[in-house]
């Protein structure tokens, strides 16, 4: 609570809830946590109960459990430092990629010293608790009675499993209060149970015919014509006039680049000098929102141009092959599509997803040791990534075919390390330095590209995958989803600003529209230049809460079929709940229901 600081609403009700409900979840968690002790007591014959060997085994088990509790406390602190919440769906994801996560922690914190302190504390606490426990723990008990005790315990555990979930802690309108009222271990367990959410089971929905009609009316634009009348089908022909321009496309998705890092959005720290200078030569989009809070959400939006579906990103789900994607559209136009990443492609299933959706995948394995100036657990330094990208683009363009290169950076990520001497902020000192280093690397890439033969025929698109932080006092603080977008192509794209509300899923269709491409589309996104005024909207989400932004309103869809409507403050992220606008709620439901239906039933396939 002290760490959350001013983010907490310290009313009497909230403080009582934090500690009262928190205690309840601590007790529920303890039921699960003591299972090894209960089983040990049950399988141990009475004649061994007070023997030295059994006591040693019990004390070792106690030592392990106490150490896990202390390790969990430190881990929760570190996790809160990064995400301003207790363990959640992200923590479950990270457990799958132990090498990267453990490596990241080792590079960010003095792990050996922390473990040493925890071991000393564990010894002290084990000795203390052992002296109290030996007075009554090691009494002989017949097997029948032990079985009865275990049976009652298991019934209580089963009842807790069936009747208690993590919704009780969500009693306040303040997100920090709700997080504090939970228990980290329990939240990790709850997130594991709910990492994939069936839309029809958990969320508000419309009659399928109504939802289908509504989504078709919302995706249709003046330049599009539907190809069929099937339920939930949004397949349509996009017809743009003029000559198709087969320019190279270099899409740079920058790790955690919040809009408010840029001077163009009011930042005065000077940590993005190159991007700020480039903004004056580019078309700068000033009202763009990321769909989610993870890299895989950004990659999903940029590649398949679909609203976020609850639970896992489609990048990480089974049956995500052969989807209609930017890679497939541009491939049909003769492009060579590449996903270029500075880390290992297996992380977050990125390599598999892009490799099975019309992209060639190039990751850090394409670089030799001598080509890497610096690397951390997430990947090579961004400057080395861009050197790799430049090499691949140059080689591909020599074949005479245009290139679509989607480059994903990694340096703006804890532990915030990068080669020394590149910028005036020392490595490993914080996010500001990482942002400035990534800005430096992008600048170096663009300046070198200007000397390449393919530069004058290239469209550069620079955007964030998501913001640096998504935490706030409200469920979906919209200011924490605002990201920059620059489209730079001297002599082709006129410098200026685009202030219209826009979603990350609109970037793909907008790029295709700029190049006058006509194509068959299954994208949910709009070409912002063809869209009639007043139809703009954006999507923001966590893995459970699905937000729909339109006309200065925010509709949030939650599990248990909850729908809420707010008037958000786009500057500080606060939101005032208002009476629901039925039509706006129906629109939100139709977008998300349609996206979930399409993926589940294979309608997103090529």
């Amino acid at each position: 609570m002290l760490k959350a600081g001013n983010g907490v609403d310290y009313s009497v009700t909230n403080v009582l809830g934090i500690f009262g409900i928190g205690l309840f979840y601590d007790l529920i968690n303890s039921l699960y946590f003591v299972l090894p002790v209960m089983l040990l007591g049950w399988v141990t014959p009475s004649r061994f109960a007070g023997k030295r060997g059994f006591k040693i085994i019990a004390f070792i088990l106690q030592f392990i459990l106490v150490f896990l509790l202390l390790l969990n406390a430190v881990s929760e602190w570190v996790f809160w430092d990064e995400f301003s919440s207790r363990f959640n769906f992200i923590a479950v994801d990270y457990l799958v990629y132990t090498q990267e996560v453990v490596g990241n922690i080792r590079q960010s914190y003095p792990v050996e010293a922390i473990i040493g302190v925890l071991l000393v504390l564990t010894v002290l606490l084990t000795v203390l608790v052992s002296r109290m426990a030996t007075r009554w723990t090691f009494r002989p008990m017949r097997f029948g009675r032990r079985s009865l005790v275990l049976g009652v315990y298991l019934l209580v555990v089963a009842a807790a499993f069936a009747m208690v979930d993590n919704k009780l802690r969500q009693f306040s309108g303040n997100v920090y209060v709700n997080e504090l009222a939970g228990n980290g271990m329990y939240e990790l367990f709850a997130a594991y149970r709910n990492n994939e959410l069936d839309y029809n089971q958990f969320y508000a929905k419309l009659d399928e015919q109504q939802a289908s009609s509504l989504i078709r009316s919302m995706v249709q634009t003046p330049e599009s014509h539907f190809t069929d009348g099937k339920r939930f089908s949004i397949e349509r022909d996009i017809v743009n006039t003029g000559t198709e321009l087969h320019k190279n496309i270099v899409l740079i998705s920058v790790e955690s680049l919040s809009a408010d890092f840029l001077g163009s959005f009011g930042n005065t720290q000077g940590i993005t000098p190159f991007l700020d200078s480039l903004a004056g030569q580019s078309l700068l989009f000033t009202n763009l929102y990321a769909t989610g809070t993870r890299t895989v959400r950004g990659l999903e939006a940029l590649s398949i141009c679909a609203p976020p579906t609850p639970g896992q990103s489609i990048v990480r789900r089974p049956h995500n092959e052969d989807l209609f994607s930017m890679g497939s559209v541009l491939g049909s136009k003769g492009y060579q599509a590449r996903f270029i990443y500075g880390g290992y492609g297996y992380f977050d299933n990125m390599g598999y997803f892009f490799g099975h959706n019309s992209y060639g995948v190039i990751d850090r394995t394409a670089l030799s040791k001598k080509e890497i100036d610096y690397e951390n657990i997430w990947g090579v330094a961004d400057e080395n990534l861009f050197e790799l990208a430049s090499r691949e683009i140059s080689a591909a363009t020599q074949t005479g075919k245009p290139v679509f290169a989607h480059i994903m950076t990694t340096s703006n990520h804890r532990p915030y390390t990068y080669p020394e001497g590149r910028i005036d902020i020392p490595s490993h000192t914080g996010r500001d330095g990482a942002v400035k280093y990534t800005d430096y690397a992008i600048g170096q890439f663009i300046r070198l590209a200007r000397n390449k033969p393919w530069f004058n025929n290239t469209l550069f698109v620079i955007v964030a995958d998501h913001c640096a932080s998504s935490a706030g006092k409200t469920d979906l603080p919209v200011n924490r989803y605002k990201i920059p977008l620059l489209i730079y192509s001297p002599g082709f794209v006129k410098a200026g600003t685009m202030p219209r509300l826009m979603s990350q899923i609109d970037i793909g269709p907008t790029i295709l529209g700029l190049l006058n491409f006509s194509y068959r589309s299954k994208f949910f996104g709009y070409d912002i230049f063809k869209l009639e005024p007043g139809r703009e909207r954006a999507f923001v989400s966590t893995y459970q809460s699905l937000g729909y932004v339109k006309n200065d309103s925010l509709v949030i869809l939650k599990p248990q079929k909850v729908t809420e409507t707010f008037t958000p403050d786009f500057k500080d992220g606060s939101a005032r709940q208002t009476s629901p606008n039925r039509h706006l709620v129906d629109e939100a439901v139709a977008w998300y229901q349609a996206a979930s239906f399409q993926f589940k039933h294979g309608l997103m396939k090529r």
Side-chain angles (χ1 to χ4, degrees), residues 47-124:
R47 64 181 180 275
F48 295 137
K51 302 297 184 182
R52 179 179 178 85
F54 174 71
K55 287 185 178 181
I56 290 173
I57 294 172
F59 290 154
I60 291 173
L61 178 58
Q62 181 180 306
F63 178 89
I64 293 170
L65 294 178
V66 170
F67 179 77
L68 288 176
L69 284 171
L70 294 174
L71 182 64
N72 174 75
V74 174
S75 301
E76 279 199 81
W77 185 273
V78 170
F79 192 82
W80 188 287
D81 209 33
E82 183 78 11
F83 299 103
S84 299
S85 72
R86 291 193 184 272
F87 291 144
N88 56 23
F89 186 68
I90 297 173
V92 176
D93 271 4
Y94 278 5
L95 286 177
V96 177
Y97 299 100
T98 309
Q99 178 180 339
E100 281 80 2
V101 175
V102 171
N104 179 36
I105 292 170
R106 288 178 62 87
Q107 291 172 356
S108 303
Y109 301 95
V111 174
E112 290 77 10
I114 292 171
I115 295 296
V117 172
L118 293 185
L119 287 172
V120 172
L121 288 174
T122 302
V123 170
L124 294 175

Side-chain angles (χ1 to χ4, degrees), residues 363-595:
D363 66 7
R364 70 192 289 177
T365 59
L367 289 167
S368 64
K369 284 292 182 182
K370 65 180 182 181
E371 294 175 301
I372 300 174
D373 291 287
Y374 185 87
E375 61 184 322
N376 61 27
I377 197 64
W378 296 114
V380 301
D382 283 346
E383 62 189 79
N384 298 137
L385 165 67
F386 285 120
E387 287 164 359
L388 171 63
S390 180
R391 184 179 76 196
E392 292 293 332
I393 294 167
S394 295
T397 54
Q398 288 176 7
T399 66
K401 293 183 178 181
V403 174
F404 169 46
H406 183 161
I407 307 167
M408 180 70 225
T409 73
T410 62
S411 291
N412 185 19
H413 196 297
R414 193 179 297 276
Y416 311 128
T417 55
Y418 42 85
E420 294 287 4
R422 303 312 198 254
I423 59 172
D424 56 3
I425 302 176
S427 173
H428 207 180
T429 56
R431 187 180 289 278
D432 288 352
V435 171
K436 193 164 188 176
Y437 170 71
T438 294
D439 177 84
Y440 159 85
I442 294 172
Q444 186 181 57
F445 171 64
I446 297 292
R447 282 188 287 267
L448 289 173
R450 287 172 179 152
N451 298 317
K452 300 292 184 180
W454 46 264
F455 174 79
N456 290 329
N457 191 43
T458 299
L459 190 73
F460 292 89
V461 182
I462 303 173
V463 67
D465 59 347
H466 58 84
C467 282
S469 172
S470 61
K473 294 182 180 181
T474 56
D475 225 7
L476 293 173
V478 290
N479 64 320
R480 299 298 178 90
Y481 289 82
K482 193 169 189 177
I483 56 175
L485 168 64
L486 292 79
I487 298 183
Y488 171 65
S489 186
F492 174 56
V493 176
K494 185 178 179 181
T497 58
M498 167 56 79
R500 295 177 70 182
L501 177 66
M502 189 173 169
S503 172
Q504 204 172 19
I505 74 169
D506 300 327
I507 295 174
T510 298
I511 292 171
L512 297 173
L514 279 171
L515 298 175
N516 291 328
F517 283 148
S518 295
Y519 59 100
R520 182 154 292 185
S521 176
K522 293 186 178 183
F523 292 149
F524 285 81
Y526 294 137
D527 175 351
I528 196 66
F529 295 107
K530 304 292 194 309
L531 185 69
E532 308 96 317
R535 293 184 59 188
E536 304 90 344
R537 61 20 193 159
F539 306 94
V540 295
S541 72
T542 62
Y543 73 98
Q544 282 191 335
S545 297
L546 308 174
Y548 179 65
V549 181
K550 188 176 183 182
N551 297 334
D552 296 325
S553 292
L554 168 65
V555 176
I556 299 180
L557 311 180
K558 296 181 181 180
Q560 281 71 53
K561 304 185 185 298
V562 172
T563 63
E564 297 174 331
T565 305
F566 299 87
T567 299
D569 187 312
F570 290 87
K571 292 184 178 180
D572 68 12
S574 62
R576 175 176 56 85
Q577 189 161 6
T578 60
S579 56
N581 178 322
R582 188 65 258 170
H583 182 69
L584 207 59
V585 171
D586 286 350
E587 284 189 7
V589 171
W591 282 106
Y592 285 113
Q593 184 177 342

